[in-house]
Amino acid sequence: LGPMLSATSQFAPGGPKEGQFLKVFLPSVTANVGFWSTLSLNIPDFTRYAKSQKAQLTGQAIGLPVFMALFSFLGVAVTSATTVIFGEVISDPVAVVSRIQGVAPTILSLIGLMLATISTNIAANVVAPANALVNLAPREISFTKGAFITAILGIITQPWRLLSSTEGYIFTWLIGYSALLGPIAGIIIADYFLIRDRTLDVDALYQSKDGGYWYSNGYNG
């Protein structure tokens, strides 16, 4: 595990970042909220297939916290171990794989990275926008077409530019994203739990001018 369990905190008295804990902690929490905000708002795209409310609650309560805690621990543990194995801290899994000796371990590691990337992107980044595109033009766009359009738009936006700078990615993109989606989530939660008391007219959700949710030309102003 390397020095992760024995190293002294940099925020401790006398450490290089003494007195800066909140300055680092609060933006980090906000960035993590921003990282998960899109999936949180789009979780109905997945829970709609659950057999019951209890089923989706159980799945999320067990699946998300437990496995995310495990994955986070593995990431920190592997990064810590690189200080012992390679003599320096390496947090990029691709860079770690490039240091592995032997053809077979390298191939297996690359296959694992590829499967992780594909499965994560399909689950978290394709389903919701593909469904949104289908809802915009259900006669012209199928889920498959929506997924391909999403992939193309993802390439056009050049997300790798965001990752080129840690400061820009965390403090500009993720925190800015949190500031945008946070109020949206608050409005949705307040509307559903407080104003409507968890009661929705499902038929009206799919009606246009005669529906109770049409508001002003389809916009809730």
Side-chain angles (χ1 to χ4, degrees), residues 152-163:
I152 294 172
L153 291 176
I155 296 174
I156 292 175
T157 56
Q158 303 181 30
W160 53 86
R161 291 181 177 270
L162 295 173
L163 298 175

Side-chain angles (χ1 to χ4, degrees), residues 44-110:
D45 287 299
F46 302 93
T47 57
R48 64 193 290 187
Y49 302 108
K51 294 182 179 180
S52 64
Q53 181 77 343
K54 181 180 179 181
Q56 68 92 7
L57 284 173
T58 303
Q60 293 190 69
I62 297 176
L64 289 177
V66 173
F67 287 98
M68 283 311 303
L70 177 61
F71 293 153
S72 299
F73 172 79
L74 288 176
V76 174
V78 171
T79 301
S80 177
T82 58
T83 61
V84 177
I85 299 173
F86 303 114
E88 60 178 319
V89 177
I90 305 175
S91 58
D92 185 352
V94 177
V96 174
V97 171
S98 67
R99 297 288 191 93
I100 297 177
Q101 301 295 326
V103 177
T106 302
I107 292 176
L108 289 175
S109 300
L110 290 175

Side-chain angles (χ1 to χ4, degrees), residues 178-191:
S178 302
L180 172 65
L181 295 183
I184 296 177
I187 291 172
I188 293 175
I189 293 172
D191 179 75

Side-chain angles (χ1 to χ4, degrees), residues 174-199:
L174 286 180
I175 292 182
Y177 212 59
S178 302
L180 172 65
L181 295 183
I184 296 177
I187 291 172
I188 293 175
I189 293 172
D191 179 75
Y192 180 68
F193 285 98
L194 301 180
I195 297 177
R196 304 189 187 279
D197 193 24
R198 297 185 298 174
T199 301

